[in-house]
Amino acid sequence: MAARGHVQDPNDRRLRPIYDYLDNGNNKMAIQQADKLLKKHKDLHCAKVLKAIGLQRTGKQDEAYALAQEVAALEPTDDNSLQALTILYREMHRPELVTKLYEAAVKKVPNSEEYHSHLFMAYARVGEYKKMQQAGMALYKIVPKNPYYFWSVMSLIMQSISAQDENLSKTMFLPLAERMVEKMVKEDKIEAEAEVELYYMILERLEKYKEALDVVRGKLGEKLTSELQSRENKCMAMYKKLCRWPECNALSRRLLLKNSDDWQFYITYFDSVFQLIDESWTPPPEEEHSLEGEVHYSIEQAVKFIEERITEESKSSRPLRGPYLAKLELIRRLRYRGCNDEYKLGDPEELMFQYFKKFGDKPCCFTDLKVFVDLLPSSQYTKFISQLLAVIPLSAATEGELALPSDIKALQQHLCVVQLSRLLGIYHAMEKKQKLAVVRELMLRYRHGLEFGKSCLKTELQFSDYYCLLAVHLLLDLWLEGEETAVWQCLTLLEEGLSHSPSNAQFKLLLIRIYCRLGAFEPVAELYSSLDAKHIQHDTIGYLLTRYAEALGHYAAASQSCNFALRFFHSNQKDTSEYIIQAYKYGAFEKIPEFIAFRNRLNSSLHFAQVRTERMLLDLLLEANISTSLEESIKSMSLSPEEDDIPWNDLRDNRDLTVLFNWDPKDRDISEEHKKLSLEEETMWLRIRSLTLRLVSGLPTLSHTIQPKNSEKTAENGVSSKIDTIRSLLQQLEVAVDSGKKFLEQKIQYPVLGPPPTRMAGFFSNGSCQCQTSLFYLVSDIYELDTNGLDSAEIQERIGNSFKSLVERLTDLFNKCKGDLIEVRDGTLKTHPSLLENLVFFVETISIALWVSSYCDSVLRPFKSNLQKKKKKKKESSLAMPPVFTHFLDYVTELQTLTSNVIDHIKGLEIILTALKLEELSLKDTLLLEEEKKFTKTVQGKVQSSYHHSVQEIGELLKKRLDTIKKLKI
């Protein structure tokens, strides 16, 4: 092997320039260099593969594939060719070809450790677990190293996880894996921590909790050292599974004595104490309480234990929050059980007050106390807040002025109280005037607090940012109560906040939500990109962008935002395989099932399905029958009406609906019920969109049949089955629409910062739904005309009536788009985003109408030419034209007129939006300072510009559609 490696040295030198060109992205030069080299050295396989990589990267996939297969057919065994082919196949997203490559290499060089391990990893990329098991054992036989043996064991576990039959997993794969590890244990060959972890994982999956506990507590458990308290945590998990509450209690007590700030062990401690009380457990008279030592089994002991922790804490050099919060947690649990022992622990209000005095200057104080505010009686809320305010060191410069904090600690304490006031509903109960006064006070405090952050970097948040956010939340309340100016003040304050704290994600997220609610998408794209969303965030917060981009007429931005998301979802497949391989290499076996679950969760993501569907509909909307034919567009997307690739039963809602900070009381906050309803609504809307896409993709499949009356022939061509598919999809669409309408009858109102509603309500109310459904029914009628010929007057009449009602419906839809998008009323701006959404639906519906009209055209054209031939033969000029032709021509003319009217209407909107003089708005509100007026103008300018941009994009697209209509003349 060494000698062979030495012989290849000159080749390495020859190939080096090609590698360099590829690394620098200069693919054309790489191809040229490879060609030169191949003229001299025809048998240099690696040069061919490197040329193929260059071709692949310049978009010549077919040539690249052909070259690669030439080399692969020769079954190369040199390292350079194999590595290069692996890179190429990975870029082609064809990992299954790598397995064939190394299978051949292993046959030729059966004792190569390197090739065997590459083969194992190739199987790992495609998830061939059985072959991985075999490859692992083959490796172990060549080189008896422990990791290879355990690769094989892990592959058995993966077979058990992926097995459809749970019984098979429990009776075959896992017991076999267990026996394999036991063999190593008996031979005393267990070396690494990862191997013990793997043994524990097998026993846990087999539900052999007792045996797993013995492993962790025994000699093997000593190897579990990489994670802090790894052994203890595993023991605790097993005790819980075995319901061994004495051990749970004793272990958590022991760990709390070591570290009285570890919250998870307080929870276990309380859980176990109350379990033991419920079971009336008493310690055995003469033996030890439990395997883990002394057990607490009464409320008195628990109370004493917590009190002792607090006494210990007072001696600690660093203040610990755990013991104080544990006391509140215990009171809450006692209350829940209706015990009257809580007085021994003190009054919750006093305890929370003392906690605030100790930790009020820490940002975490609010989130700590938030959990326990329900221990306070509502009648005490105001008193409690006043009590807290009384201990904050605030000072006023002169009499009657606002008392302000003199340092960051006092500011933090005051902020905590303001957040608690909001949480306890004190602000919600105020009148409008009081709310505005609070907003004014909060903004004064915000601006004063900026002094403490003068030295902050741009990437750091200002200490007083929360004041600004809380003021905006109050204004949002006013807006929902009908105060129109409040929403503009929200935007003004947020833009001001962002100018001082450019990295504050909360400001940006809130701006995104409010701009979208007002129908302005333009500023949103920039805000979202400045959030710099990474990796999984494209799935968790991507909905903020994709829900509104297309709906508000920003087609280019919609395309881009879909691309961002899809790029992440597609790369997830490739990336996860790499993570799995790394986990095998470094023995992080317990992570492998997690990576697989992560990949599956992303593949079943609701957002992924939505973006995929909307992206294809958007591409058809922008290109089909404009730059390419509908048939070509659908072919390039590999769309088929029969196929449905959405995993409806496994859809996962990965949206982060709590990404925006919220200080609302429980009754106003987003609830689990809201999340459930939102998922239901999103799934219904996705079903409607997916069926619409599949129906459109079915249009080109109904190609015109040459022998209309020969029904057997059509069955042979499979066209009749195609119309059956269309009719079946149409029935499914009707069902989906019905369930959508029933859902909307519930009139659900999500919280203003909760999940955004779908576009479904607008789709039904403006008539787009009825229009699109009738268009697909028209397809069925036209198909019938195509198969039965022009003899049936009834079908022709039906088609004529459909044309008439469609024009009426489309006109009606257009009427719902009329009106000013932005109007000035009583000195304030009022936007009408629903008109914009209706216009977008109109464009979509008219596009579907044109695709259906093209199908009608393809059916009627041959009929007309046949009739004209007959006329010439019979030399009769009086041969009457069937009425369907006149109906179609009238319909097309009316479509053309209607579209021209809409384009004129849009031009009118553009003129109005350009002429809108925002300077003339009387910003008479006393709340506005000079600086605020500047931000208000910026905000209104952004909204105006965004509407202008939307109207322009919609107008451009409609003009292209109008050109398509003009071509529709039989």
Side-chain angles (χ1 to χ4, degrees):
M1 284 293 286
R4 221 176 69 193
H6 179 70
V7 172
Q8 284 194 332
D9 275 351
N11 283 342
D12 284 351
R13 198 182 62 249
R14 289 174 191 135
L15 295 167
R16 175 57 41 213
I18 310 178
Y19 281 118
D20 291 342
Y21 285 130
L22 287 172
D23 288 344
N24 298 328
N26 195 344
N27 300 314
K28 283 186 179 170
M29 282 303 292
I31 295 168
Q32 284 176 17
Q33 190 68 29
D35 282 334
K36 273 187 199 168
L37 194 54
L38 284 166
K39 276 179 187 168
K40 290 182 188 170
H41 306 275
K42 287 194 177 82
D43 298 334
L44 194 49
H45 305 319
C46 186
K48 263 188 197 176
V49 184
L50 294 177
K51 178 185 174 182
I53 292 176
L55 290 167
Q56 167 73 16
R57 290 177 185 175
T58 47
K60 296 174 182 171
Q61 281 87 350
D62 295 343
E63 286 179 52
Y65 180 68
L67 256 183
Q69 291 314 86
E70 251 179 61
V71 178
L74 299 168
E75 299 183 349
T77 55
D78 65 296
D79 210 25
N80 285 339
S81 302
L82 289 170
Q83 291 288 359
L85 276 168
T86 304
I87 292 167
L88 175 64
Y89 289 148
R90 212 178 297 167
E91 286 184 17
M92 287 178 166
H93 304 294
R94 298 285 301 275
E96 70 284 356
L97 296 174
V98 182
T99 57
K100 290 176 184 160
L101 203 59
Y102 278 103
E103 279 167 2
V106 162
K107 274 180 192 164
K108 285 189 171 177
V109 191
N111 289 331
S112 164
E113 178 184 0
E114 187 187 351
Y115 291 170
H116 271 284
S117 68
H118 279 309
L119 176 62
F120 179 87
M121 295 310 177
Y123 286 141
R125 276 197 184 89
V126 290
E128 290 260 14
Y129 303 124
K130 185 159 178 43
K131 288 184 175 174
M132 283 164 73
Q133 181 203 339
Q134 292 161 349
M137 283 317 286
L139 245 175
Y140 184 67
K141 280 173 188 164
I142 299 167
V143 188
K145 290 181 186 171
N146 267 22
Y148 298 151
Y149 186 84
F150 284 94
W151 283 5
S152 187
V153 175
M154 186 63 217
S155 306
L156 270 171
I157 297 177
M158 292 313 298
Q159 284 179 71
S160 90
I161 292 172
S162 60
Q164 300 297 319
D165 180 1
E166 199 175 326
N167 195 29
L168 185 70
S169 150
K170 290 266 171 73
T171 54
M172 189 171 107
F173 297 124
L174 288 171
L176 179 55
E178 184 190 11
R179 284 200 300 277
M180 283 178 75
V181 182
E182 275 174 356
K183 178 175 177 281
M184 296 296 265
V185 173
K186 279 173 191 162
E187 292 172 10
D188 199 20
K189 285 185 180 173
I190 300 279
E191 294 166 0
E193 180 180 0
E195 294 158 14
V196 181
E197 291 268 13
L198 194 56
Y199 192 19
Y200 174 79
M201 193 200 299
I202 295 167
L203 293 169
E204 192 181 14
R205 285 178 182 276
L206 278 168
E207 294 173 18
K208 292 187 172 182
Y209 304 129
K210 170 82 178 62
E211 289 83 342
L213 188 63
D214 293 342
V215 168
V216 178
R217 285 180 60 88
K219 190 176 155 219
L220 288 175
E222 289 167 14
K223 294 186 187 292
L224 300 170
T225 53
S226 66
E227 275 180 48
L228 203 62
Q229 294 172 333
S230 173
R231 265 180 110 172
E232 288 86 344
N233 286 329
K234 285 184 166 58
C235 283
M236 192 76 86
M238 291 304 101
Y239 288 143
K240 281 182 187 170
K241 296 269 190 197
L242 293 162
C243 294
R244 286 170 62 169
W245 299 113
E247 277 78 7
C248 263
N249 181 279
L251 179 57
S252 52
R253 192 189 69 82
R254 206 176 74 223
L255 290 165
L256 285 169
L257 287 171
K258 265 196 217 168
N259 173 11
S260 61
D261 211 28
D262 199 327
W263 187 249
Q264 59 171 333
F265 296 129
Y266 279 114
I267 299 298
T268 314
Y269 176 75
F270 291 140
D271 285 346
S272 57
V273 167
F274 290 117
Q275 285 282 354
L276 293 170
I277 291 170
D278 291 342
E279 290 170 12
S280 313
W281 185 87
T282 51
E286 306 209 342
E287 302 162 36
E288 263 208 79
H289 281 199
S290 74
L291 279 176
E292 299 286 353
E294 191 191 332
V295 176
H296 288 171
Y297 52 95
S298 71
I299 291 173
E300 285 71 23
Q301 286 172 305
V303 171
K304 187 174 172 234
F305 179 69
I306 297 300
E307 293 290 6
E308 282 169 4
R309 297 288 60 71
I310 290 175
T311 316
E312 284 287 314
E313 190 279 337
S314 58
K315 297 173 193 168
S316 160
S317 56
R318 171 174 83 86
L320 303 175
R321 291 145 51 215
Y324 299 97
L325 293 171
K327 198 172 190 179
L328 287 164
E329 175 67 20
L330 184 53
I331 291 176
R332 190 170 61 181
R333 290 186 180 224
L334 290 169
R335 242 187 220 193
Y336 177 70
R337 295 169 70 88
C339 300
N340 294 324
D341 290 322
E342 57 178 334
Y343 59 86
K344 293 177 187 171
L345 284 154
D347 174 29
E349 189 181 338
E350 180 55 30
L351 290 172
M352 286 162 86
F353 174 59
Q354 293 303 330
Y355 186 84
F356 175 79
K357 277 169 58 174
K358 204 167 174 65
F359 300 104
D361 58 342
K362 303 278 185 288
C364 59
C365 182
F366 168 72
T367 40
D368 288 347
L369 292 179
K370 182 183 180 179
V371 188
F372 301 109
V373 288
D374 51 356
L375 294 176
L376 297 172
S378 52
S379 57
Q380 297 290 314
Y381 287 172
T382 320
K383 177 181 160 245
F384 176 63
I385 293 294
S386 310
Q387 198 183 356
L388 297 184
L389 280 171
V391 293
I392 304 173
L394 300 176
S395 54
T398 58
E399 194 75 25
E401 268 195 27
L402 193 62
L404 296 163
S406 55
D407 59 14
I408 294 168
K409 280 191 172 183
L411 178 128
Q412 204 63 59
Q413 283 176 311
H414 189 268
L415 251 180
C416 179
V417 178
V418 175
Q419 293 175 75
L420 282 168
S421 305
R422 173 91 183 161
L423 180 70
L424 296 172
I426 292 171
Y427 290 159
H428 294 92
M430 288 178 175
E431 304 266 305
K432 178 187 162 184
K433 269 190 176 171
Q434 287 173 294
K435 281 185 182 172
L436 287 172
V438 173
V439 169
R440 213 167 295 147
E441 183 198 322
L442 290 172
M443 285 314 289
L444 271 169
R445 291 188 178 283
Y446 165 67
R447 292 186 185 110
H448 168 258
L450 292 174
E451 290 174 19
F452 301 123
K454 279 182 178 167
S455 60
C456 286
L457 300 171
K458 271 190 174 178
T459 47
E460 293 177 316
L461 306 188
Q462 288 291 335
F463 297 107
S464 59
D465 277 355
Y466 278 11
Y467 281 129
C468 185
L469 275 176
L470 282 152
V472 170
H473 278 241
L474 272 166
L475 288 166
L476 280 175
D477 293 348
L478 287 169
W479 182 42
L480 291 182
E481 287 160 21
E483 186 62 39
E484 205 52 56
T485 51
V487 72
W488 297 103
Q489 278 169 272
C490 285
L491 291 172
T492 300
L493 299 186
L494 286 167
E495 289 283 5
E496 183 186 340
L498 199 56
S499 71
H500 296 298
S501 194
S503 296
N504 192 319
Q506 286 301 318
F507 286 160
K508 292 175 187 176
L509 290 165
L510 207 43
L511 277 166
I512 287 174
R513 285 302 299 269
I514 298 172
Y515 275 129
C516 287
R517 283 283 293 252
L518 291 175
F521 187 78
E522 199 171 45
V524 169
E526 195 183 329
L527 283 163
Y528 186 84
S529 77
S530 73
L531 277 170
D532 201 14
K534 294 272 194 297
H535 200 68
I536 190 71
Q537 286 172 317
H538 288 301
D539 192 19
T540 56
I541 61 171
Y543 70 94
L544 294 170
L545 203 60
T546 50
R547 157 65 183 85
Y548 290 102
E550 184 190 350
L552 296 173
H554 283 258
Y555 297 119
S559 244
Q560 204 177 2
S561 55
C562 287
N563 282 349
F564 275 146
L566 289 175
R567 204 173 300 142
F568 158 65
F569 283 114
H570 292 317
S571 69
N572 153 55
Q573 283 290 358
K574 196 170 71 181
D575 294 349
T576 316
S577 303
E578 296 310 312
Y579 304 151
I580 291 166
I581 284 168
Q582 294 306 318
Y584 270 109
K585 276 185 184 167
Y586 297 107
F589 296 123
E590 77 280 9
K591 294 291 170 216
I592 295 171
E594 288 176 30
F595 287 139
I596 304 270
F598 175 72
R599 177 165 67 192
N600 294 343
R601 184 167 174 175
L602 282 177
N603 288 342
S604 314
S605 161
L606 166 76
H607 184 59
F608 181 28
Q610 286 171 325
V611 170
R612 231 175 27 224
T613 307
E614 291 296 344
R615 175 67 220 254
M616 290 195 267
L617 278 167
L618 183 64
D619 281 353
L620 292 178
L621 191 65
L622 298 177
E623 289 165 17
N625 287 356
I626 293 177
S627 53
T628 56
S629 72
L630 179 65
E631 191 170 356
E632 282 167 11
S633 299
I634 286 165
K635 196 175 168 190
S636 70
M637 292 177 197
S638 315
L639 264 176
S640 153
E642 294 88 0
E643 283 172 27
D644 183 6
D645 62 349
I646 297 174
W648 294 106
N649 298 328
D650 303 317
L651 275 183
R652 293 293 298 267
D653 185 1
N654 297 331
R655 295 173 300 164
D656 183 354
L657 297 174
T658 53
V659 67
L660 285 153
F661 286 165
N662 205 339
W663 297 275
D664 286 341
K666 259 190 190 152
D667 56 329
R668 286 168 170 265
D669 203 359
I670 176 171
S671 65
E672 285 307 311
E673 182 64 13
H674 285 134
K675 291 178 185 176
K676 195 172 125 257
L677 289 166
S678 172
L679 172 60
E680 200 180 324
E681 183 181 347
E682 294 285 354
T683 310
M684 283 173 180
W685 177 235
L686 174 61
R687 203 177 283 277
I688 291 171
R689 300 297 279 168
S690 165
L691 288 165
T692 307
L693 177 66
R694 287 168 67 196
L695 279 160
V696 170
S697 73
L699 287 176
T701 61
L702 302 173
S703 52
H704 177 60
T705 46
I706 296 161
Q707 295 142 305
K709 290 194 177 177
N710 185 346
S711 54
E712 283 172 38
K713 188 77 180 157
T714 60
E716 264 175 54
N717 291 344
V719 179
S720 64
S721 64
K722 299 283 183 196
I723 193 68
D724 292 342
T725 306
I726 297 279
R727 284 171 183 156
S728 143
L729 288 174
L730 203 40
Q731 278 175 335
Q732 290 175 47
L733 183 62
E734 288 282 16
V735 173
V737 165
D738 282 345
S739 39
K741 284 179 178 165
K742 275 190 194 122
F743 179 87
L744 290 174
E745 280 166 15
Q746 300 173 61
K747 295 197 165 37
I748 294 147
Q749 284 291 318
Y750 300 112
V752 65
L753 300 177
T758 63
R759 299 164 65 196
M760 191 158 64
F763 182 62
F764 293 153
S765 64
N766 63 27
S768 305
C769 174
Q770 295 82 332
C771 267
Q772 292 186 14
T773 317
S774 348
L775 279 162
F776 294 124
Y777 274 115
L778 174 64
V779 170
S780 179
D781 288 342
I782 297 280
Y783 179 82
E784 219 173 305
L785 180 80
D786 193 10
T787 36
N788 297 329
L790 296 171
D791 304 339
S792 165
E794 185 219 341
I795 297 176
Q796 293 194 43
E797 192 181 340
R798 208 162 64 216
I799 291 171
N801 292 339
S802 294
F803 284 148
K804 271 184 200 145
S805 77
L806 270 168
V807 172
E808 282 166 20
R809 280 181 171 160
L810 283 165
T811 312
D812 195 37
L813 173 52
F814 169 42
N815 290 334
K816 286 181 180 158
C817 302
K818 288 179 180 172
D820 288 334
L821 294 175
I822 301 180
E823 60 173 331
V824 181
R825 196 190 292 164
D826 306 329
T828 46
L829 271 193
K830 171 106 179 82
T831 61
H832 295 286
S834 60
L835 293 177
L836 201 53
E837 294 216 18
N838 287 353
L839 261 173
V840 171
F841 274 129
F842 177 84
V843 175
E844 187 180 293
T845 309
I846 204 94
S847 300
I848 294 177
L850 293 178
W851 297 328
V852 171
S853 304
S854 294
Y855 170 60
C856 298
D857 184 63
S858 72
V859 168
L860 294 177
R861 217 178 266 266
F863 278 135
K864 189 163 186 183
S865 58
N866 283 345
L867 281 171
Q868 282 167 339
K869 280 176 194 166
K870 279 182 191 172
K871 260 193 202 176
K872 279 179 189 169
K873 275 184 191 171
K874 295 186 179 177
K875 295 183 181 165
E876 281 181 38
S877 56
S878 61
L879 198 67
M881 271 294 186
V884 71
F885 294 110
T886 329
H887 294 324
F888 182 63
L889 282 174
D890 291 348
Y891 169 63
V892 170
T893 312
E894 282 172 320
L895 275 188
Q896 192 173 331
T897 314
L898 178 62
T899 310
S900 301
N901 291 345
V902 181
I903 291 171
D904 291 341
H905 170 66
I906 286 174
K907 279 180 192 158
L909 288 177
E910 278 191 56
I911 293 164
I912 294 167
L913 284 168
T914 314
L916 196 65
K917 293 277 186 287
L918 296 179
E919 295 78 46
E920 288 165 18
L921 285 179
S922 54
L923 303 171
K924 59 178 186 288
D925 202 305
T926 47
L927 272 182
L928 294 178
L929 309 168
E930 269 314 306
E931 193 180 354
E932 285 185 1
K933 285 184 182 172
K934 183 183 82 183
F935 285 112
T936 305
K937 282 181 183 168
T938 309
V939 162
Q940 292 176 338
K942 282 182 179 178
V943 172
Q944 180 190 16
S945 157
S946 176
Y947 268 88
H948 196 265
H949 189 125
S950 296
V951 167
Q952 271 181 325
E953 281 209 40
I954 294 169
E956 289 298 315
L957 185 51
L958 264 181
K959 281 177 197 161
K960 290 176 185 168
R961 287 284 164 222
L962 183 61
D963 295 340
T964 322
I965 301 177
K966 288 175 182 169
K967 292 174 193 163
L968 283 175
K969 295 275 189 266
I970 308 172

